[in-house]
Amino acid sequence: MSMLAETCTLSNGIEIPKLGLGTWFIDDDKAADAVRAAIEIGYRNIDTAQAYGNERGVGEGVRSAGIAREELFVSTKLAAEIKDHDQAVAAIDQSLSTLDIGHIDLMLIHAPQPWNDFRGGDYSAGNLAAWRALEDAYQAGKLRSIGVSNFLQEDLDNILAHGTVAPHVNQILVHAGNTPSDLIAYCHNRNILVEAYSPIAHGEILNNERVAAIAEKYGVSVPQLCIRYALQLDTVALPKTANPNHMRSNAEVDFAIAETDMETLRDLHERDYGESSAFPVYSGK
């Protein structure tokens, strides 16, 4: 489980564990148990969002896990619909209250557009208004780091050009079959850490024979290969599960993928998310 002890350092010097627990689709009444189980296994990085509707349960899990708060890195996200400074201020304070864990280690703008207009209109002014609220909460010490999610290069350019704090993180969809190499490189060149959500392609990658063949070669499962792949791209991997057995196996990724296999996985184009294609992050709209 040594991977659970490995960290990256954000541009402001804060350390973030390289492997985290995603909590999308974990109901609020199940979230505390999932978070406690993850922390018991050794996870120290927990990711939630206002949109997941489980901040209360995640906070309960953190408070009742029996380890010091400063040993944990907890992230949440400002609802994608909020593109207004005062609404963002209120929503940040609401997350602090709902989680009830003192500070938040990382807070992100969940998407550059509201979900019902994902990859649609121009919300650059609204993103800057929300960003200013995050900056203020960061300067006040309520948030230890701030960032964005699902932001493309032009969305990042807007914040970098007009904000006073550069985003510490961009959390994006990254998995074997969907590797936005240019965007990852752009972020790395600007000292913005990339977090990979859905590193197992929301489960659909389990059906890919080419990926299964590579996993077999290393004597690992497809999820383990996919998580290792995300880590070797120098991203923080956030596989999501409420199953403690999956949490354990997801952390058993102390092997190295050869560069030739990394290239094969990087060149894959697998973007069929089955029933989950209804979600904007998978359909792109």
Side-chain angles (χ1 to χ4, degrees), residues 3-4 17-24 26 34 38 43 45-48 52 171-172 174-175 195-203 222-228 230-231 235-243 246-253 282:
M3 181 50 65
L4 290 170
K18 285 185 181 179
L19 185 60
L21 177 77
T23 63
W24 189 23
I26 300 178
Y43 284 80
N45 179 351
I46 311 292
D47 179 82
T48 182
Y52 300 171
Q171 186 182 123
I172 55 178
V174 179
H175 59 79
E195 289 186 319
Y197 70 77
S198 298
I200 309 167
H202 209 60
V222 168
Q224 286 168 333
L225 180 81
C226 290
I227 291 163
R228 182 70 212 181
L231 293 167
T235 70
V236 164
L238 297 170
K240 54 183 176 290
T241 180
N243 182 324
H246 292 169
M247 292 175 195
R248 278 190 201 90
S249 62
N250 286 349
E252 291 166 357
V253 287
Y282 298 129

Side-chain angles (χ1 to χ4, degrees), residues 9-23:
T9 305
L10 300 177
S11 59
N12 64 351
I14 301 283
E15 287 194 3
I16 176 172
K18 285 185 181 179
L19 185 60
L21 177 77
T23 63

